[in-house]
Amino acid sequence: MNKILVSGGAGFLGSHLCERLLHENNEVLCIDNLFTGEKKNIVHLFDNPYFEFLRHDVTFPLYVEVDKIYNLACPASPIHYQYDSAQTTKTSVLGAINMLGLAKRTGARILQASTSEVYGDPEIHPQPESYFGNVNPIGVRSCYDEGKRCAETLFFDYYRQYGIDIKVVRIFNTYGPNMNPDDGRVVSNFIVQALKGKDITIYGDGQQTRSFCYVDELVDGLIRMMRSDNGFTGPVNLGNPFEFTILELAEMIIKITGSASTIINKPLPSDDPRQRQPDISLAKDKLEWEPIVKLEDGLKDTIEYFKELIKK
């Protein structure tokens, strides 16, 4: 039985990962400062004797004994990471330093949850891991984009300098149950607006594209990467390669919910990327990973989750 630390474990992705790791007979230490994570996402795990929750901020060192570390801690939606932009950068950078220090002391393998935002507003489409990106280093999104880029730098410096066993994944848009209804992300925004019969807000003309991966499949990719023993460090893209316009997403959600909502357009935010689609050739080759859940099917499950959430 491995003892596995999941930082950001009470968040959207982290809570699903904790549950999956427990089901696979691991001991899980979930740490989270609950800035965007929520206890309700993990409260059903509290009775499991192999699950432990610790309220902790990764910008401070942590001294525990673990075999593996998933470093997911960082607010991931613009509305949250721009709320305290300096702290967002600290979470990515100091969090990486502290978790890498823990891995160095314990000899643990450590996985960094990086992001497709390291590619910025890409000039190459779809985005392969070899692309260095087109990122504005002083924009309103750069606290997150550059924080994650710096975290990747630290991971590879610790790998080269200290021989730390690292894994780096770049996560593209992911959706599913346990999303925060107020996180400002496009899927949760549209679903909540549709279920409440409010206008669905599209920023820009709606022709910007995104690729959406269902959370269970993303978690599977994280675990496959952590378990890979072929000397593969990454970075590797994890995401669904099927591309949709934001307008198509809104129309699909209206159709599934049967909502009477109408679509309205507002100005596009600063530095919002026009295209986002992963090249997952490397994940297919190295991890034998490829998502198969269709967007419409995943949205149905996600909508049911939000229906129950809104009733409460």
Side-chain angles (χ1 to χ4, degrees):
M1 178 178 286
N2 285 311
K3 184 167 186 177
I4 302 177
L5 184 153
V6 180
S7 72
F12 164 48
L13 281 179
S15 59
H16 284 276
L17 178 61
C18 287
E19 187 167 6
R20 172 76 177 272
L21 292 172
L22 287 169
H23 286 167
E24 295 184 355
N25 297 317
N26 296 289
E27 187 175 351
V28 175
L29 171 59
C30 166
I31 68 170
D32 204 300
N33 68 352
L34 301 181
F35 174 60
T36 57
E38 297 183 273
K39 279 188 178 180
K40 72 177 181 59
N41 291 336
I42 54 171
V43 68
H44 64 290
L45 304 177
F46 283 9
D47 290 336
N48 189 316
Y50 297 109
F51 179 78
E52 182 180 358
F53 171 67
L54 175 64
R55 187 162 184 169
H56 179 80
D57 189 322
V58 293
T59 61
F60 297 94
L62 181 66
Y63 301 97
V64 292
E65 301 300 320
V66 292
D67 303 304
K68 295 178 180 178
I69 302 166
Y70 287 86
N71 186 35
L72 275 61
C74 190
S77 67
I79 194 172
H80 287 145
Y81 67 63
Q82 291 174 16
Y83 175 77
D84 188 344
S85 55
Q87 186 63 28
T88 295
T89 304
K90 289 179 183 178
T91 300
S92 286
V93 177
L94 295 178
I97 290 171
N98 288 328
M99 290 297 103
L100 284 164
L102 178 60
K104 182 183 175 186
R105 184 180 66 79
T106 61
R109 174 175 288 181
I110 180 168
L111 180 146
Q112 168 66 10
S114 189
T115 171
S116 61
E117 299 297 332
V118 300
Y119 298 122
D121 190 4
E123 297 170 332
I124 294 177
H125 192 74
Q127 294 82 55
E129 291 85 353
S130 58
Y131 178 50
F132 292 158
N134 176 38
V135 177
N136 176 2
I138 58 171
V140 294
R141 301 169 67 99
S142 55
C143 60
Y144 183 68
D145 303 358
E146 295 289 22
K148 289 290 191 176
R149 286 164 68 95
C150 186
E152 287 194 18
T153 300
L154 286 162
F155 264 68
F156 279 91
D157 282 341
Y158 269 69
Y159 167 69
R160 288 184 288 259
Q161 190 168 345
Y162 304 116
I164 303 301
D165 189 1
I166 69 164
K167 304 286 182 179
V168 177
V169 300
R170 292 174 176 167
I171 298 172
F172 283 67
N173 288 63
T174 306
Y175 69 99
N178 291 4
M179 292 186 81
N180 187 322
D182 302 315
D183 65 7
R185 298 192 212 192
V186 64
V187 172
S188 52
N189 264 5
F190 286 0
I191 291 176
V192 171
Q193 288 170 342
L195 290 175
K196 292 184 176 181
K198 296 182 177 180
D199 291 335
I200 290 184
T201 307
I202 287 182
Y203 295 96
D205 59 9
Q207 295 307 306
Q208 63 269 40
T209 66
R210 297 292 184 270
S211 305
F212 302 98
C213 186
Y214 190 62
V215 62
D216 290 350
E217 296 190 302
L218 195 285
V219 166
D220 181 60
L222 294 176
I223 292 174
R224 283 175 183 248
M225 183 59 170
M226 179 63 92
R227 289 178 178 168
S228 60
D229 281 321
N230 49 9
F232 179 54
T233 60
V236 61
N237 291 335
L238 293 181
N240 194 313
F242 289 97
E243 188 179 17
F244 294 87
T245 68
I246 297 301
L247 180 59
E248 287 173 330
L249 174 68
E251 291 171 343
M252 189 178 296
I253 289 173
I254 288 173
K255 178 183 176 183
I256 296 171
T257 58
S259 175
S261 296
T262 57
I263 294 172
I264 61 172
N265 297 84
K266 291 190 175 182
L268 195 67
S270 176
D271 297 326
D272 194 55
R274 294 291 303 178
Q275 293 180 304
R276 183 74 83 227
Q277 181 188 15
D279 180 337
I280 62 167
S281 303
L282 199 58
K284 288 180 182 179
D285 179 43
K286 297 293 187 179
L287 307 178
E288 297 182 350
W289 179 86
E290 182 178 9
I292 58 173
V293 174
K294 294 180 180 179
L295 179 58
E296 186 172 359
D297 294 334
L299 284 176
K300 289 176 181 176
D301 288 342
T302 310
I303 288 167
E304 288 304 312
Y305 166 78
F306 277 105
K307 280 182 180 178
E308 293 301 315
L309 198 64
I310 289 171
K311 285 180 184 176
K312 295 177 180 178

